[in-house]
Amino acid sequence: MALRQIVYLRESLLLRSENCNQVFRQFTSQSKSLRTGRVKFSASSSLKQPRKQLVPFESHDPGYIDPNKLWKALIFTGTFTVTSFATVSIWEYEKIRSKATSVFRSATNFKWVKEKIIGKKEEMSELRRELQTAWNKLSPGEQLFIPLCALNLTVFGMWRIPRLQPFMLKYFCSNPAAKAVCWPMILSTFSHYSAFHIFANMYVLHSFSNGAIGSLGKEQFLGLYLSAGVLSSFASYLYKAVMMQPGLSLGASGAIMAILAYVCAKYPDTQLSILFLPMYTFSAGAAIKVIMGLDLAGVILGWKFFDHAAHLGGAAFGLFWCYYGSQHLWPKREYLIGHWHKLRGPISKS
């Protein structure tokens, strides 16, 4: 399957900040002059001296890493991964069952189905029909990308609400030293604070989603994406615990790295190019080697601008799923689907 994706520059492709103090720190300046013991403000200043606006990460205490919390995080990682793939397997079954039910009812009671369809079409507004038509024209990758992007944009908007920032710091930033260590492992995957951060990650996700879904399907893709998000967070936890460097992490790049690594390993001869430099092309196989090499160097040398451990964790899981998981683990869902089918029972005629 021939693919041609556009790869963003390294810094914008894998933006997952480990040290948020360096990424999000903003400085505000005011022109002041002291005259007769009073503060004089510039013309743009208000009568009252405004409070200093602090980015929520500036005053955050990283805390102490309790080794016992890593066991808790490990159990959550395994449980969430198994649950994710089980859930998408049931989703796949229900989609097939729904189509089979429609076909069965059409064959046994065509008149009833026809009357029901006509009634629904009459009730459907013109706007809804237009939206349905536009949605059906989208590729499978775009149909899954839009909800994922919407979730990320929603969380991005929540960061803009000052009253929610303590809640966001607690649950939408992963930190092995925090009180809450489990749910932030997945919630931080949908969390971005800066506009550039979310743009870069969503651009890369959109670029590679069609290729990955073309090979995996929507259900397996979503299971891989969600599981990689948690696994990359756990890899970040382990690295921070070993190095005794607690800190906040957020961003979707760990999960996106799994998708990127899967596509590059599945189609290593695909020619990629850099945004704004389309004249320079390189193979996908070479790209993933360079990217993972840079992340490995970042882990060894202690670079702190990106969460390189999370990147490596996500990429490693993507490679594992390409060479082993999709061939040997995904087919085992048949056991679960068989039990679920018995629980659901035969298709009803009515």
Side-chain angles (χ1 to χ4, degrees):
M1 176 179 178
L3 297 174
R4 181 175 180 84
Q5 306 291 351
I6 301 177
V7 181
Y8 204 72
L9 293 175
R10 166 65 185 167
E11 286 75 14
S12 62
L13 190 153
L14 301 172
L15 185 58
R16 180 183 176 100
S17 305
E18 176 182 332
N19 191 340
C20 296
N21 292 334
Q22 296 179 0
V23 178
F24 303 114
R25 183 166 295 168
Q26 299 175 349
F27 295 95
T28 58
S29 60
Q30 287 184 329
S31 58
K32 296 182 180 180
S33 61
L34 294 176
R35 294 185 180 179
T36 65
R38 294 184 180 181
V39 177
K40 183 178 180 180
F41 296 90
S42 61
S44 61
S45 302
S46 59
L47 294 178
K48 294 183 179 180
Q49 183 179 3
R51 295 180 180 179
K52 185 179 180 181
Q53 298 295 326
L54 293 176
V55 177
F57 308 100
E58 287 186 334
S59 58
H60 180 75
D61 181 14
Y64 166 75
I65 300 178
D66 183 1
N68 293 327
K69 289 185 177 181
L70 292 179
W71 289 107
K72 187 177 180 180
L74 176 61
I75 295 173
F76 178 82
T77 300
T79 303
F80 186 87
T81 300
V82 173
T83 303
S84 296
F85 281 109
T87 302
V88 297
S89 298
I90 293 174
W91 176 33
E92 181 185 37
Y93 167 83
E94 290 296 334
K95 287 174 60 179
I96 297 174
R97 182 186 177 94
S98 177
K99 292 180 180 179
T101 301
S102 299
V103 173
F104 182 76
R105 288 177 176 174
S106 298
T108 57
N109 195 358
F110 178 76
K111 183 178 180 181
W112 174 83
V113 174
K114 185 176 180 180
E115 291 176 353
K116 187 174 182 179
I117 293 176
I118 293 175
K120 285 186 176 181
K121 286 185 176 180
E122 291 177 352
E123 295 175 359
M124 187 181 298
S125 64
E126 182 178 353
L127 176 60
R128 185 178 176 184
R129 285 198 297 269
E130 292 178 356
L131 291 175
Q132 185 67 36
T133 301
W135 178 260
N136 292 334
K137 290 181 179 179
L138 297 175
S139 65
E142 291 172 334
Q143 290 179 353
L144 191 55
F145 167 77
I146 289 176
L148 289 175
C149 184
L151 283 174
N152 282 273
L153 289 173
T154 300
V155 177
F156 176 76
M158 292 170 65
W159 275 111
R160 315 267 78 79
I161 304 175
R163 290 185 178 181
L164 290 180
Q165 288 184 355
F167 173 79
M168 302 298 290
L169 282 170
K170 183 177 181 180
Y171 291 105
F172 286 85
C173 291
S174 62
N175 180 10
K179 292 182 179 180
V181 295
C182 292
W183 285 111
M185 296 176 72
I186 180 60
L187 295 179
S188 63
T189 304
F190 298 92
S191 181
H192 302 81
Y193 186 80
S194 70
F196 177 76
H197 191 184
I198 190 172
F199 168 78
N201 279 339
M202 293 302 100
Y203 176 84
V204 177
L205 178 60
H206 180 268
S207 298
F208 287 89
S209 58
N210 277 325
I213 291 178
S215 173
L216 297 170
K218 289 183 182 179
E219 299 80 13
Q220 191 178 175
F221 173 92
L222 185 59
L224 173 62
Y225 183 86
L226 295 176
S227 300
V230 174
L231 285 164
S232 63
S233 294
F234 184 71
S236 175
Y237 279 9
L238 283 179
Y239 177 76
K240 291 174 183 176
V242 171
M243 302 301 293
M244 296 302 295
Q245 295 178 350
L248 301 175
S249 293
L250 72 167
S253 56
I256 294 173
M257 273 295 296
I259 304 302
L260 174 65
Y262 176 87
V263 173
C264 290
K266 189 72 175 179
Y267 311 105
D269 297 327
T270 300
Q271 292 299 302
L272 308 177
S273 60
I274 300 176
L275 187 66
F276 304 127
L277 296 173
M279 69 289 298
Y280 299 106
T281 61
F282 44 88
S283 67
I288 191 60
K289 292 176 183 177
V290 171
I291 292 172
M292 293 186 69
L294 289 173
D295 280 321
L296 181 60
V299 168
I300 296 174
L301 299 177
W303 298 344
K304 296 182 179 180
F305 189 71
F306 299 108
D307 194 339
H308 298 283
H311 293 172
L312 280 178
F317 186 64
L319 294 177
F320 165 80
W321 198 256
C322 177
Y323 292 119
Y324 185 83
S326 61
Q327 302 172 18
H328 300 284
L329 297 182
W330 181 247
K332 294 185 182 299
R333 74 191 188 284
E334 300 296 335
Y335 297 104
L336 172 65
I337 293 176
H339 289 292
W340 183 258
H341 178 70
K342 292 180 181 179
L343 181 64
R344 295 282 277 117
I347 298 176
S348 176
K349 296 181 180 180
S350 57

